[in-house]
Amino acid sequence: SAVISQKPSRDICQRGTSLTIQCQVDSQVTMMFWYRQQPGQSLTLIATANQGSEATYESGFVIDKFPISRPNLTFSTLTVSNMSPEDSSIYLCSAAGLAGTYNEQFFGPGTRLTVL
Amino acid sequence: QKEVEQNSGPLSVPEGAIASLNCTYSDRVSQSFFWYRQYSGKSPELIMSIYSNGDKEDGRFTAQLNKASQYVSLLIRDSQPSDSATYLCSRGGGADGLTFGKGTHLIIQP
């Protein structure tokens, strides 16, 4: 499977600030997604990052809070805007449509965000 | 709502035994199902995918899907302490994101 990297791996941020998380895949992929995993919880889909168009957000997530970019087939960013302590979570990107796979999604290592 | 239900456990299994993890889902449209393993502090790792009714085997892992009963399971044979982790059942895939269950915490007792 492809190598998926995320930057930063962790960060501690102040309330009211914004953080941009980068996701890089070492090969071209069809689909990229962003998930959130709150402490002790399972994963929740935030949005599908669409190449060349606006992201598709799940219910409960909005573009103003979580703007997403996907400028090409290997890279995406998620920004967590105007952060509050409730945004403290692990944020994970995933990729699907890798060569030799069907529907499978593979995850990056995650970004652990703490908001004070 | 396309929900996925799992028993959160913990499920404790002796080393060498078969661990059986179960999952139900709420919609009849879902076609693709995935099992992920997540160690504490790590990201989910895909271990099995299943798309059609019946069994799919890969090494010590067997996934079972019954679309009529809306039920998917994962069997781990010859359980090892290294299998101790949280197992996440999910549906979706392709152009759709994944919907995850809450995960089952599996403990393999040496």
Side-chain angles (χ1 to χ4, degrees):
Chain A
S1 58
V3 174
I4 304 172
S5 60
Q6 287 185 234
K7 289 183 191 179
S9 58
R10 59 178 62 228
D11 207 341
I12 300 173
C13 300
Q14 296 298 318
R15 180 195 299 261
T17 63
S18 297
L19 175 72
T20 295
I21 302 167
Q22 298 179 3
C23 179
Q24 178 75 54
V25 188
D26 69 351
S27 60
Q28 292 186 344
V29 293
T30 309
M31 309 295 297
M32 294 181 76
F33 304 89
W34 287 96
Y35 292 82
R36 180 174 73 182
Q37 187 170 29
Q38 294 179 301
Q41 303 297 315
S42 188
L43 282 76
T44 301
L45 178 66
I46 297 172
T48 303
N50 298 311
Q51 196 265 328
S53 65
E54 196 170 279
T56 304
Y57 290 85
E58 296 298 301
S59 176
F61 298 97
V62 295
I63 188 171
D64 290 347
K65 176 67 176 177
F66 297 102
I68 287 170
S69 77
R70 190 175 172 199
N72 57 51
L73 292 176
T74 65
F75 185 78
S76 179
T77 67
L78 168 75
T79 299
V80 186
S81 303
N82 188 25
M83 287 184 285
S84 67
E86 292 71 34
D87 294 321
S88 297
S89 285
I90 298 172
Y91 291 86
L92 297 129
C93 70
S94 73
L98 294 157
T101 66
Y102 178 43
N103 275 343
E104 291 86 353
Q105 284 187 31
F106 300 91
F107 284 86
T111 296
R112 183 180 295 271
L113 172 61
T114 302
V115 184
L116 303 178
Chain B
Q1 283 277 0
K2 296 181 179 178
E3 296 186 345
V4 177
E5 300 288 339
Q6 289 182 262
N7 187 325
S8 62
L11 174 65
S12 186
V13 174
E15 183 176 356
I18 296 175
S20 178
L21 304 163
N22 303 314
C23 174
T24 59
Y25 58 96
S26 61
D27 72 288
R28 291 192 174 276
V29 178
S30 294
Q31 297 294 318
S32 305
F33 301 88
F34 309 89
W35 283 98
Y36 287 84
R37 178 176 63 197
Q38 187 173 30
Y39 293 114
S40 180
K42 301 295 186 181
S43 64
E45 173 192 8
L46 179 67
I47 53 172
M48 288 291 282
S49 58
I50 187 164
Y51 306 107
S52 54
N53 281 326
D55 295 359
K56 179 183 178 183
E57 186 174 320
D58 184 0
R60 294 187 296 113
F61 299 99
T62 299
Q64 299 174 318
L65 175 60
N66 184 324
K67 292 186 178 181
S69 300
Q70 297 175 226
Y71 174 93
V72 58
S73 65
L74 179 70
L75 302 177
I76 306 174
R77 289 182 299 281
D78 188 23
S79 297
Q80 303 297 310
S82 60
D83 295 326
S84 298
T86 296
Y87 289 81
L88 300 166
C89 174
S90 64
R91 53 148 297 285
D96 297 328
L98 297 172
T99 301
F100 284 87
K102 294 185 183 298
T104 298
H105 182 45
L106 175 65
I107 300 171
I108 306 300
Q109 296 178 319

